[in-house]
Amino acid sequence: QVQLVESGGGLVQAGGSLRLSCVASASIFSFNAMGWYRQALGKQRELVAVITKGGSTDYSESVKGRFTISRDNAKNTVYLQMNSLKPEDTAAYYCAMGMNYRTPGQYWGQGTQVTVSS
């Protein structure tokens, strides 16, 4: 069983930045894609960013140009750099990895809360 552990969430003012990290207990080369999802209170879960084994990335329109997904293969870690944060970015953020290139979701982390104050 692969375990994913997220960190880096917190409280930040609008316009600020945070970097989320997700450490996997197995090599991230085991997965075709890794992604970050978020779920705000009362809303459906949203795929925010994906990075494939080959290095391709994709973002939701709501974060494009502000968020960057990256990975460090040696550390089995995936990052989400979040800049120019807005109050509407407030949500629980989840890391996921799996074999589906577009919506990885075989393994999930426990989530980390991001709160952006106005």
Side-chain angles (χ1 to χ4, degrees):
Q1 183 75 8
V2 177
Q3 293 186 336
L4 307 179
V5 179
E6 301 105 330
S7 61
L11 174 64
V12 64
Q13 287 188 334
S17 298
L18 284 174
R19 188 177 80 156
L20 305 183
S21 299
C22 174
V23 181
S25 62
S27 170
I28 59 176
F29 277 122
S30 303
F31 309 106
N32 286 336
M34 295 138 277
W36 286 94
Y37 294 77
R38 69 184 181 187
Q39 187 167 19
L41 282 175
K43 296 188 177 181
Q44 288 190 332
R45 186 174 61 198
E46 172 190 19
L47 179 58
V48 172
V50 176
I51 185 167
T52 70
K53 180 186 293 188
S56 299
T57 59
D58 197 15
Y59 300 90
S60 68
E61 287 299 321
S62 60
V63 307
K64 198 170 291 185
R66 300 188 297 121
F67 290 11
T68 303
I69 188 170
S70 63
R71 67 184 190 212
D72 184 330
N73 296 331
K75 296 182 178 180
N76 291 324
T77 301
V78 178
Y79 302 99
L80 185 67
Q81 178 66 44
M82 305 185 294
N83 298 329
S84 302
L85 283 162
K86 304 175 181 180
E88 50 264 43
D89 294 318
T90 295
Y93 284 72
Y94 299 89
C95 170
M97 301 186 184
M99 305 311 290
N100 188 305
Y101 281 97
R102 298 183 66 183
T103 55
Q106 186 172 357
Y107 298 101
W108 291 85
Q110 81 288 352
T112 186
Q113 179 67 34
V114 171
T115 303
V116 185
S117 63
S118 57

